[in-house]
Amino acid sequence: MSFDPLAEAHRQWSSRWPEHADHMAAVTSVMRAQQLLLSRIEALLKPHGITFAAYEALRLLAFTREGRLPMGKMGERLMVHPASVTNVISRLEGRGLVTRSPSPHDRRVVLATITPEGRALVEDATATLHEAGFALSELSRPEARAVIDALQTLRASVGDAERATP
């Protein structure tokens, strides 16, 4: 790419509001990186017939001891609105990858449970993501670690997480 719109925006901001240019460019760069990474991840998952949101839901369920979680807990752990979890789980349920049932302990709580087909699919999809370095194979492990550290600092600065190493 010979023309970088982000560099041009930074140049324009620097000439008008130099004290704000770096912060504007930081936000814009993070947003653009998110778009690019999501596009790459979605392309890797497409042959498996799932979106990244579906992958995250299946992976979360597969990580649990019993393969199930309350839908509300899933929203908390995935950091998404409950309606988003309901939508993703409904699509996965329609494909036989997840089932939903009331909790035996509290009928108001709905449990999502991964099926054997869902478990097989998420393991295959995970292998694909591992092989592709989660779409970041161009980064070395130390470079990936630097990204984690920088974004952890950013997240802490906006109140999302304590400043700690994942």
Side-chain angles (χ1 to χ4, degrees):
M1 180 188 214
S2 60
F3 176 75
D4 182 353
L6 298 183
E8 177 58 17
H10 188 257
R11 188 186 71 73
Q12 292 286 346
W13 231 265
S14 293
S15 70
R16 290 168 176 78
W17 307 286
E19 68 278 12
H20 302 291
D22 290 342
H23 288 93
M24 179 285 303
V27 167
T28 307
S29 294
V30 167
M31 302 296 252
R32 180 61 180 150
Q34 189 271 342
Q35 291 171 338
L36 293 167
L37 291 173
L38 185 57
S39 176
R40 285 175 148 198
I41 293 288
E42 295 281 354
L44 290 166
L45 293 173
K46 187 172 184 166
H48 299 280
I50 57 173
T51 63
F52 187 55
Y55 171 79
E56 287 185 305
L58 288 170
R59 186 74 268 167
L60 176 62
L61 290 170
F63 277 147
T64 66
R65 227 179 349 261
E66 296 177 2
R68 69 177 173 216
L69 278 173
M71 300 270 288
K73 180 72 72 182
M74 288 185 72
E76 291 171 20
R77 294 200 180 153
L78 295 171
M79 298 173 284
V80 298
H81 192 274
S84 296
V85 174
T86 300
N87 186 23
V88 167
I89 294 299
S90 292
R91 283 186 273 129
L92 292 171
E93 186 178 35
R95 292 186 51 200
L97 303 171
V98 168
T99 61
R100 276 190 284 196
S101 60
S103 168
H105 306 293
D106 184 346
R107 308 286 290 169
R108 297 169 297 175
V109 175
V110 176
L111 298 173
T113 304
I114 193 167
T115 65
E117 295 81 7
R119 193 175 294 278
L121 185 137
V122 79
E123 294 306 327
D124 287 346
T126 299
T128 296
L129 293 173
H130 286 170
E131 288 169 21
F134 276 84
L136 289 176
S137 60
E138 299 88 352
L139 294 184
S140 67
R141 287 184 71 189
E143 288 170 330
R145 185 76 241 172
V147 170
I148 293 166
D149 293 344
L151 292 176
Q152 184 68 28
T153 299
L154 184 145
R155 290 177 54 218
S157 77
V158 295
D160 181 53
E162 297 284 324
R163 186 168 163 78
T165 303

